[in-house]
Every structure is written in structure tokens, then in C-alpha cells.
Amino acid sequence: MLFASSVAEDFLRGILQGLPPGAVYGLIAVGFVLAYKTSGVFNLAFGAQAYISAALFFHARNEWQWNVVVAFTFAVFLVAPAIGLILERLIFRHLPPGSALAKLVIAIGLSVALPHLFELLIGFEPVGGRTPEGLLPNGGGVFYDPFGVYPLSRNELTALVVAVIATALLTALFRFSAIGLQMRAAVESPRMTELNGIRADRVAAFSWALSSTFAGLAGVLMAPRFNTLAAPDYFNLIIVAITAAAFGRLMSLPRALVGGFGLGILIAQVDTFLPRFSANNSWVKAIEDNVTPAMPFIALFLLVAFWPPLRANKDQVDPLSGVDPPPQLPVAVVRTRFMTNLTHSVGVGFLSVVGFVVMTRADKSWVFLVTQAAIISLILLSITVLTGLGGMISLSQGSFAAIGAFTVFQLADRTGMSTVLAAVIGALVAAAVSGLLAIPLVRLGGMWVPIATLAFASFFDAVVVKLPFVGGGDKALIEGTRIPRPVIGPWNLTNDKTFLVFVVLILIVVSAGVIAIRSGTLGRSLAALRGSEVASQSIGVSPVRPRVIAFVISGFIAGLGGALLGMQQENVNYAGNFTPYATLFWLVLVVTLGSRTVEGAIQGGVGFSLFDRIIFRGDLFGWILRDPDRVPGFFPVSAKWRFVLFGLSTIGFAKHPEGLVESGKRKSHERMERRRARREARKSLEGASS
Amino acid sequence: MNPILTLESVSANYGPFNAIFDVSFSVNPGEAVALLGANGVGKTSVARVASGLITPSSGKTIVDGVDITGARPHRFVQAGVAHAVEGRSVFASLTVEENLRLSFQRVFGRSGVPTAIEKAFSEFPALERRRDQLAGKLSGGEQRMLSLARVLVEAPKLLIADELSLGLAPVIVKKIYDQLARLRANGTALLIVEQQVGHALKLCERAIILEHGRIVWAGPSNQATERLAMRFTEK
């Protein structure tokens, strides 16, 4: 009897314990569904928007000493909708409807750029241990305990009540108001909405203002749950929220809220009732300790991969998309032979000069950065294969790279194997994992691949890395995850410059491979599938095989790159190199600069490693002015600008889906072709007259 | 009396691709004009310019005496131009009833919507049986009926109907043209874009023939057949 009552009590406690986090998950899930429903954007930047309002509220209260009501109104009802309106006006209005993938990429760019931009503008720095306060006075200190089993704080109750009321209001808005219907119509086809006599741009602006206000509200309400206000935590919450939103098939607001509560309660129950196995088996313990926070990721992955109703939710195509001009062909396809030769020789010439200078003049730190640029370029090539050629977006490239690096670490640590051989094995393991992951995913609609891979990356981050046979466990905490550099015959790669040559050789081989794939059968099958899956199938192209192979190759390249990065730093350095949030920036770089070409990836690598040093620290200015002392006073510029710059340039993706480099190249080529044509016309004229 | 629609030397393009060149014509109130021509001659582009979906690169679009070149489509709708676009022209993600509600809310206000919807259903009983179904799940003919139901109830000054017969069974095509005839009888001007000339010419008194993005002939519809036949026998 005693036993039964204690189980019931535990169960009730689990429910109460799950309510507050459930309310938070529900709030973001509702906001996420709201944004998706009204703007068609899979808004991964929702977390960033929530973070900005929360941090602004926090900053206004603590630094500017504003009154609660004023700070709340300012952060949630002024700044939050203003951000939404700006985003709509500057970016999303210019995107054709239905381009879900483009919108997703831009949202990823924004989730990198916005928090950094905000921090730079306001001068906000996350300070560890300063717990954000809630709306009501002493919200974290007053508790209510109606059942005598688990006390809820005033902050938690506020979030709970607001979540329920806000969801009810929004549901009513959609069910009973004209604007609710108009918002849904405008998502599917702004032009057809206009043909009904409705101003689609105003409707879209209202949608953005509404969902952004909700983001701000959610951000402020959930802030007290964190020890420290920091952007990555908000980003991670988004993944949890997507899980809750998936229960409502991304369409139903009340179900998203229920999904949020359900998830919160489920986690609390599992935490309460999960049997404890022996603590002397270290890897079982690692799983036990980390599986609860990782449950949303597992649930999301399983839902996306194996729950058919979710997949049925494919994009609606705008029937009037034919009004938009067709996309342009890449320059490399349409340019003349002369321009091709010219471009190639300029490229080779430039790289030779850079190579010569680096090998003869560069000091240790420059060699380090150039090597890093080459390795990151290699990793980014994995994105070129998958996104540029395959048209699929994976957010788990960081995990694949980490698998490569960890394999090298484990093999070198346990068997003393040469790290070059270990790197190849690591790349193969990454390729295998990537391929296995791809099998259930590639049949899904375009949008679900990034979400499922993000779920995988989060799971990898939360659980797999902690396993002793992957991340090294407790031992690695003390000794680090060391990777020695190899010696191949006469080559001693502990020498930095020799290692650089080694890396560049690998980069050249892989680049050549990627180019070969692009023009080979695989590249063409992928291009066909990107164009139309149905049409491809009708001419006998399997919709699964080429994509899975693309994943395998991409995983291999990423794994190899990860292994090399570990070798270069002589440590895996997971937290610094490979976390899901950090590696979002990789995708942003490739997509901004050009995902179709090898140059795009290499420029991305250079941008990742060298931009900061060359531009932001003022080294380039110093070199141009021939005197480091004459560099203007505003240098060095904060490295955060790098994220802002590249993050915001994903906006360019709206106008130039081929990438900034590619579109710049097109313009310069057109200019040169015109000049050449004029010169030849003049010559033939002179020839005729003489 | 002003023509309801006038295009004055209109040219238009999709990015680098030019679609129509120097097209001029007008449609008078209550008149029915057929826009004819083979595949890809620019009929749909003319229709899109006429409803504001494409902004012309040169030339003017004048609706009911007012030059609204470059205005957004909702201005054209407010000026009395309705456009039933080629292919699917309903919101697939909304139900049949929501599609109707969306159009009627603007014209009849909140309180007028139920009456207007009932009126639409009395015209098209087939739609009433599917009122709670997603419009994307309707058959091609039903979708076309739905887009016509929206305009039939609110009767615009000009209806641009783009390839209404495309991919439909002859019985349904006939039904749709009967509805157009009724609309016309109530005073709506029509601009009918068609590849199947038979129905269109029976309904319209004037015809315009496009070739390679230019108007090559305009005149009474009873002479159009002859003219079209000539084109094909010449080659």
C-alpha cells in the first residue's frame, strides 16, 4: 500500500515537475507553428528573436534601471514586432512563395547573425551566473504547492498561464477573424491573394509582427529558467519546440501547446522512473545521465523519419510561381572558352603567389590560420556535395566531422595506429553513419532533412560525445582528446609547413573529386532530382540511391576534414569545433558564397579562418599603409562582426541563390565579355575600312 | 464611355526573356473578346499584364479610364478586373468554403458572407457537397468551378479567363461556357484566352490573334476562323 501511494505521488510530482518546462516548450512550439503557418518560414531564427527580447528586457531592467512594465512593453511589444517587420520588409518579401529551403537557410543565417548583432549594438555580454529575473516581483522566490508534492514558482506559474491564454487567443484569431484566413492564403500564394483584392504585403507584414511579438513574449517568459542568458541555449530550445510542434503536424496551435506540455511531463516521468543500472559500467552510466535531456531529439528524429502523417505535409506550390523569371545558369556553364581559361589562370596565379608567400614569409600563427582555412574548406566541400549538388541541407556535418576526429583519437590512443590510417578509417566511419542516417531521410520533403539532421546532431552532442568510447569520458576531461601528428616516411608532419602542404594536397584531390562528381552520372542524377523528383523517376533515376550516395560521400569528406582539424590542433576540441550551433556557421558560409562550386567552399574556408585576422584586426590596412601604427583607431573590430556579416549575407540568397561569389563572377564576366566584344567590333571595323 | 481595359503598346518580359512586344487593344464594357494563338505566343502573358501580375517593361495599362500601370494586382481587382488564372487557381491549403469566404469578405463584409456563400453553392451544387474539403483535393473541373463561383457572385466589370477549358471533359467545358455566357448577359466584359477556339469564338464578338508575342490580326470573330485556318494552310 505504501509502495503504491509512493508511486502515485512520484507520478503526480513528475507531472507537476514537467509542467513548467512543458509550458516553455509549448510557448516556443506555438510561436514556431504560428510563424510557419503565417509566413511559410521554418523559422529557426525564432530562438534568436526570443533571445533578443529576453536579453533586452534583462538589460533594460538591470543596466538602465527601467520599470518592469516599460521594459516589458519595449522589449516585447515594440522591439520584437519591429524586428519582424524589418525582416519581412528587407528579406522575406523578396522571396518567392514555396521556396521553403531558401527561407530555412536565411533563417539559419539570421539565427547566427541576429544575437551577435544585438550584443554588439547594445553592448550586451552574457555574464555567467546572473540569473535572469521574471516579470513579477520575486518571481523566483515565491512558491505555491497546492498538492504538497512539488512547489511551482511564481515565474513558472506566470509562464504557464500566459502560454495557455495566448494559445487560446491565437486559435480564436485563426478560427474567427478575416486576417487569420488571409494570413493562411498569403502563405500559399501572395499573388493569388492579391487577385482576391487583398494586399498581400500588408498581410505578410502583420504575420511577421505577430509571430515576432510572440517570440519576444516567449523569450522573456522563459528567461528565468536559464542560469545565464545565452543565445545557444535559445537555439537548442528551438529543436525541443519543433518536436512539440511536430505533434500538431506544424499546423495546429493547441496541439503544439499540448505537445509541449506532453514533452515536459514525459521527460520528468522518465527522469523519475528510469531504472538505475549499475554505475560501474561507465558507458551505460553516460547514457543514463544524458538520455533525459536528449529525449526530444530522439523523439523528433523518430517522428520525422517514421511518422507518415508528418511527411504528407509537403510544400504547397504557388500556382502563380510561373510569373517569376526562371533561374540563371551558373557562369561556368555559359561562359566562353576564353573566359574559362582566363579565370583558371588568374586563380592558379593568385594561389601560387599566396602559396609562395606563406611558405617563405609567414610566421607560425599565419601558417596555422592558412592550414585551418584549407581544412575548413575541405569540410565545407562536404556541404558542396550535399547542398550544392544534392539540393539537401544537413545540419549534422559537425557531427560527421567530429566522428572522424574522435575515431582518430580513439585509434591513436588505444592502438597507437598511425593517424593517417586512422583518419581514413574515421572518414569511413563518418561515411557509414551518414549513409545510414540518410536512408530513412532522403524520401522526406526537402524541409525535413535539415530538421532530422539537426535532431541527430543534437543527440550526438548530448549523448554520443559523452560516451567513453567516443569522447573519452572522464579520462578525456583530465587529459584532453589528444591526437598526435603522423610521420610518413621522410615527411614529418609535426612541422607546420609540411602539414600545410599535406593538407593542401588532400584538398586538391578532394576538390578534383567533387568536380568529377558534379559532371559525372551522380552529379547529373542529383541535378535531375533537384529539378523534379517525379520527372526523374519517369526516366529511371532512383530518388533514393543518388541521394544516399551523396550523403555517404559528404560524410566521408566531413569525417576526413574533422580528422585533419583534430590533427592540426593536436586535439579533437569538440566544444570549440563541432557543436551543432557552431557548425551552423559552416552552412551559412557555403550557401552565402556559393554552394555549387569548389571555389565557394574554399572562399568559405578562407572567410572562416582568415577574415578575422586580415580584415577585422586591421592587418590588411596595416599592410596597405605600410605601417601598423597608421591603422585607423576603430580596429581591431570585434570578431562577432564576422557572424553578423556572413549571417546577414544569407539575405543575398534571396536574390542570388547561386551565391554571392557566383553572382559577382557573373557580373564581372558579363562586363569583360562586353568589353571584348566591343574591341573585336572595332577591330573588324578598322579591318574593313583599311 | 471609357473602355474597361486598355493596353497601350505594352511589352513585357520574364527576366532576360521577352514575352510580348508592343501589344495594344481595348475591351469595352459588356464586350467579349477572345485572345487566340498557338502555344507560347504570349497569351497568358497578356492576361497577366492585364490583371497586374506582371508589370510591363514599357507601355500603359489603363483600367476604366485610370492609368494604373505598375500597380499591384489588388488595385486591379478593386478597379473591377477579375482574373481566373490558368491551371489551378484556388488555394489548395484552404477548404472550399474558406476559399469562398476569402473572396467574399472583402466585397460583402462579414455579415454578407453566409448569404454569398449560399448563393455560390446554389449555382454550383457540386461544391456544396465538398464545402469542408481542401480545395487542393478537388478535381480539375471542380477547381475551375470554384474559381468561377467566386466571380459569379460578385460580378466584376471585366473577367479575364485564362484557358478555362484546359484538361477538362467536354461536358464540363460546356457547363463553364454556359456560366460565362450568363455572366456576360449580366453586363460583365470578358477577355477569353483560349487555345480551343470553337467555344471562345461562339461567345465573343471580337477576336485578337497573337503570334510570337505580337498582335497579328484583330477583327470580328466570325472572320477569325478563316484567318486562323489560313495560317495553318499556308505552311
Side-chain angles (χ1 to χ4, degrees):
Chain A
M1 193 58 213
L2 188 70
F3 173 75
S5 82
S6 92
V7 166
E9 197 179 310
D10 281 350
F11 185 73
L12 180 61
R13 186 179 298 122
I15 290 180
L16 290 177
Q17 206 179 352
L19 283 180
V24 168
Y25 304 154
L27 264 175
I28 328 181
V30 168
F32 190 79
V33 169
L34 180 69
Y36 180 65
K37 216 170 145 150
T38 61
S39 57
V41 177
F42 219 81
N43 193 3
L44 289 183
F46 193 83
Q49 288 176 276
Y51 166 72
I52 289 178
S53 286
L56 192 61
F57 175 74
F58 184 64
H59 198 69
R61 291 284 290 141
N62 288 301
E63 302 297 319
W64 303 334
Q65 307 293 335
W66 286 13
N67 171 282
V68 178
V69 179
V70 178
F72 179 72
T73 313
F74 180 68
V76 174
F77 292 108
L78 277 171
V79 173
I83 292 174
L85 287 175
I86 293 170
L87 294 182
E88 194 275 333
R89 186 75 194 81
L90 291 185
I91 307 170
F92 291 99
R93 178 175 296 186
H94 307 288
L95 284 169
S99 45
L101 221 51
K103 289 175 182 164
L104 182 77
V105 169
I106 292 172
I108 291 171
L110 288 175
S111 62
V112 172
L114 286 181
H116 289 109
L117 183 63
F118 165 78
E119 288 170 9
L120 285 165
L121 289 181
I122 305 291
F124 182 83
E125 281 293 334
V127 180
R130 281 181 67 183
T131 306
E133 57 181 294
L135 281 177
L136 300 180
N138 200 12
V142 181
F143 291 91
Y144 305 88
D145 192 353
F147 304 101
V149 285
Y150 184 80
L152 296 167
S153 78
R154 186 178 272 179
N155 278 337
E156 291 170 340
L157 279 176
T158 316
L160 243 155
V161 171
V162 173
V164 173
I165 293 177
T167 309
L169 286 178
L170 285 172
T171 310
L173 179 81
F174 274 101
R175 190 147 304 165
F176 303 114
S177 79
I179 186 82
L181 191 57
Q182 291 174 358
M183 287 194 287
R184 283 165 57 203
V187 172
E188 187 182 329
S189 171
R191 289 199 183 89
M192 228 153 62
T193 311
E194 288 265 330
L195 285 182
N196 276 289
I198 296 156
R199 294 200 57 163
D201 52 344
R202 285 207 187 148
V203 174
F206 179 80
S207 304
W208 273 94
L210 182 71
S211 75
S212 302
T213 308
F214 200 82
L217 181 69
V220 171
L221 285 174
M222 75 176 82
R225 291 197 61 77
F226 298 117
N227 267 332
T228 310
L229 264 183
D233 292 332
Y234 273 83
F235 180 76
N236 289 338
L237 261 186
I238 271 294
I239 310 163
V240 182
I242 296 173
T243 316
F247 283 112
R249 295 187 201 175
L250 296 184
M251 274 313 189
S252 158
L253 298 172
R255 277 200 203 185
L257 184 67
V258 172
F261 278 121
L263 209 55
I265 293 170
L266 182 73
I267 291 173
Q269 296 294 2
V270 170
D271 212 25
T272 312
F273 291 106
L274 189 75
R276 301 286 154 192
F277 297 106
S278 68
N280 42 23
N281 191 335
S282 57
W283 66 269
V284 175
K285 187 172 179 301
I287 292 181
E288 269 180 17
D289 289 349
N290 297 297
V291 77
T292 349
M295 280 194 30
F297 314 137
I298 303 170
L300 179 59
F301 186 84
L302 294 178
L303 274 179
V304 172
F306 303 108
W307 194 41
L310 202 57
R311 272 176 281 168
N313 202 349
K314 286 211 171 170
D315 290 348
Q316 298 292 353
V317 183
D318 179 6
L320 286 173
S321 57
V323 174
D324 296 309
Q328 291 169 300
L329 288 168
V331 177
V333 178
V334 291
R335 69 184 166 199
T336 56
R337 180 177 285 274
F338 171 78
M339 286 308 299
T340 307
N341 293 339
L342 186 71
T343 322
H344 287 177
S345 41
V346 168
V348 169
F350 178 73
L351 288 179
S352 324
V353 171
V354 170
F356 180 75
V357 171
V358 169
M359 294 313 283
T360 55
R361 306 277 300 272
D363 63 14
K364 201 170 166 59
S365 72
W366 275 104
V367 172
F368 180 86
L369 286 178
V370 172
T371 313
Q372 194 192 29
I375 298 172
I376 296 289
S377 302
L378 180 67
I379 297 179
L380 297 189
L381 276 176
S382 75
I383 301 177
T384 307
V385 170
L386 207 57
T387 306
L389 306 184
M392 294 173 289
I393 288 182
S394 151
L395 297 176
S396 54
Q397 298 306 98
S399 311
F400 300 150
I403 289 173
F406 279 131
T407 312
V408 177
F409 156 67
Q410 291 288 357
L411 287 175
D413 189 49
R414 285 164 194 242
T415 68
M417 183 190 281
S418 159
T419 44
V420 172
L421 183 60
V424 175
I425 297 177
L428 288 173
V429 174
V433 174
S434 175
L436 283 177
L437 192 65
I439 292 170
L441 297 188
V442 293
R443 278 175 188 277
L444 311 177
M447 212 168 57
W448 291 107
V449 178
I451 300 310
T453 48
L454 183 59
F456 172 77
S458 308
F459 173 72
F460 187 84
D461 184 63
V463 177
V464 181
V465 173
K466 311 260 163 62
L467 297 175
F469 58 84
V470 177
D474 295 339
K475 192 169 145 239
L477 279 181
I478 302 158
E479 299 174 8
T481 39
R482 275 176 301 176
I483 296 178
R485 290 212 196 143
V487 178
I488 316 169
W491 275 25
N492 185 356
L493 298 188
T494 48
N495 179 316
D496 284 342
K497 285 184 182 171
T498 320
F499 186 69
L500 172 60
V501 173
F502 173 69
V503 168
V504 169
L505 285 179
I506 294 180
L507 179 62
I508 291 174
V509 171
V510 173
S511 302
V514 171
I515 292 173
I517 290 169
R518 185 172 59 192
S519 52
T521 316
L522 179 63
R524 283 171 197 212
S525 308
L526 289 170
L529 285 171
R530 221 170 48 221
S532 161
E533 203 174 303
V534 178
S536 312
Q537 275 176 287
S538 76
I539 54 167
V541 176
S542 151
V544 176
R545 228 178 77 107
R547 287 177 172 161
V548 172
I549 296 175
F551 256 98
V552 170
I553 293 172
S554 170
F556 183 87
I557 298 174
L560 190 63
L564 287 177
L565 198 62
M567 270 188 226
Q568 188 211 5
Q569 301 175 357
E570 298 182 68
N571 195 331
V572 174
N573 233 334
Y574 176 81
N577 289 328
F578 303 120
T579 59
Y581 187 69
T583 50
L584 280 186
F585 189 50
W586 292 353
L587 181 79
V588 167
L589 276 171
V590 175
V591 167
T592 324
L593 294 169
S595 61
R596 298 275 170 90
T597 53
V598 170
E599 298 99 285
I602 291 173
Q603 277 141 350
V606 171
F608 185 91
S609 322
L610 294 169
F611 210 77
D612 191 33
R613 177 73 186 265
I614 295 180
I615 310 284
F616 288 159
R617 297 221 194 134
D619 282 18
L620 182 67
F621 264 92
W623 183 74
I624 292 172
L625 301 171
R626 310 305 295 156
D627 181 2
D629 296 333
R630 280 159 65 191
V631 172
F634 55 85
F635 284 109
V637 178
S638 164
K640 283 180 180 176
W641 281 108
R642 185 179 62 163
F643 296 104
V644 176
L645 198 73
F646 283 105
L648 288 185
S649 28
T650 44
I651 296 168
F653 193 73
K655 282 196 179 124
H656 306 290
E658 74 273 25
L660 289 182
V661 173
E662 184 70 17
S663 86
K665 217 156 67 178
R666 181 195 311 281
K667 276 183 204 135
S668 75
H669 279 207
E670 278 167 359
R671 233 184 351 257
M672 291 186 69
E673 288 284 356
R674 270 201 304 275
R675 205 172 303 156
R676 213 162 72 91
R678 264 205 305 275
R679 204 179 310 137
E680 298 213 327
R682 208 176 319 138
K683 229 182 265 167
S684 68
L685 211 67
E686 281 164 8
S689 64
S690 65
Chain B
M1 197 149 79
N2 285 322
I4 181 72
L5 170 78
T6 306
L7 299 192
E8 261 181 42
S9 353
V10 165
S11 302
N13 57 286
Y14 299 92
F17 306 103
N18 294 318
I20 51 174
F21 307 90
D22 199 24
V23 167
S24 303
F25 67 91
S26 23
V27 181
N28 291 314
E31 190 186 27
V33 177
L35 194 57
L36 309 174
N39 264 338
V41 296
K43 301 187 299 291
T44 294
S45 302
V46 171
R48 283 172 177 172
V49 168
S51 67
L53 280 173
I54 317 180
T55 301
S57 51
S58 66
K60 281 187 201 165
T61 332
I62 300 163
V63 175
D64 213 1
V66 185
D67 181 356
I68 53 170
T69 318
R72 304 269 304 278
H74 70 267
R75 287 270 289 118
F76 284 75
V77 178
Q78 283 157 10
V81 177
H83 186 176
V85 297
E86 187 183 2
R88 177 165 74 80
S89 61
V90 295
F91 291 96
S93 60
L94 305 184
T95 65
V96 169
E97 192 179 324
E98 283 170 335
N99 264 286
L100 292 173
R101 193 140 55 89
L102 188 72
S103 319
F104 295 155
Q105 262 165 359
R106 184 184 60 82
V107 197
F108 304 106
R110 233 188 133 80
S111 51
V113 170
T115 341
I117 288 181
E118 288 321 310
K119 195 170 163 211
F121 284 153
S122 67
E123 300 278 351
F124 297 100
L127 292 179
E128 183 166 20
R129 289 193 291 275
R130 304 187 179 276
R131 65 192 298 166
D132 292 323
Q133 222 173 62
L134 287 181
K137 299 263 159 72
L138 298 179
S139 74
E142 287 165 334
Q143 290 192 4
R144 231 59 65 85
M145 282 178 202
L146 178 55
S147 54
L148 274 188
R150 297 195 302 216
V151 289
L152 281 176
V153 175
E154 54 175 284
K157 290 180 189 163
L158 168 69
L159 170 66
I160 304 166
D162 195 351
E163 300 276 11
L164 282 183
S165 65
L166 196 72
L168 295 185
V171 195
I172 296 172
V173 174
K174 188 173 175 305
K175 217 164 154 186
I176 283 175
Y177 270 90
D178 288 346
Q179 295 288 359
L180 289 179
R182 278 189 41 208
L183 200 59
R184 207 194 144 191
N186 290 335
T188 296
L190 297 174
L191 180 62
I192 308 281
V193 177
E194 263 300 354
Q195 264 192 79
Q196 294 189 5
V197 293
H199 280 290
L201 288 178
K202 221 182 288 168
L203 184 68
C204 303
E205 59 260 82
R206 274 204 302 136
I208 294 169
I209 298 177
L210 282 178
E211 255 170 43
H212 302 301
R214 293 173 200 279
I215 294 183
V216 292
W217 186 84
S221 24
N222 49 17
Q223 293 166 25
T225 332
E226 209 176 304
R227 161 73 208 193
L228 281 171
M230 218 166 71
R231 277 298 305 167
F232 290 114
T233 47
E234 263 172 19
K235 282 177 187 167

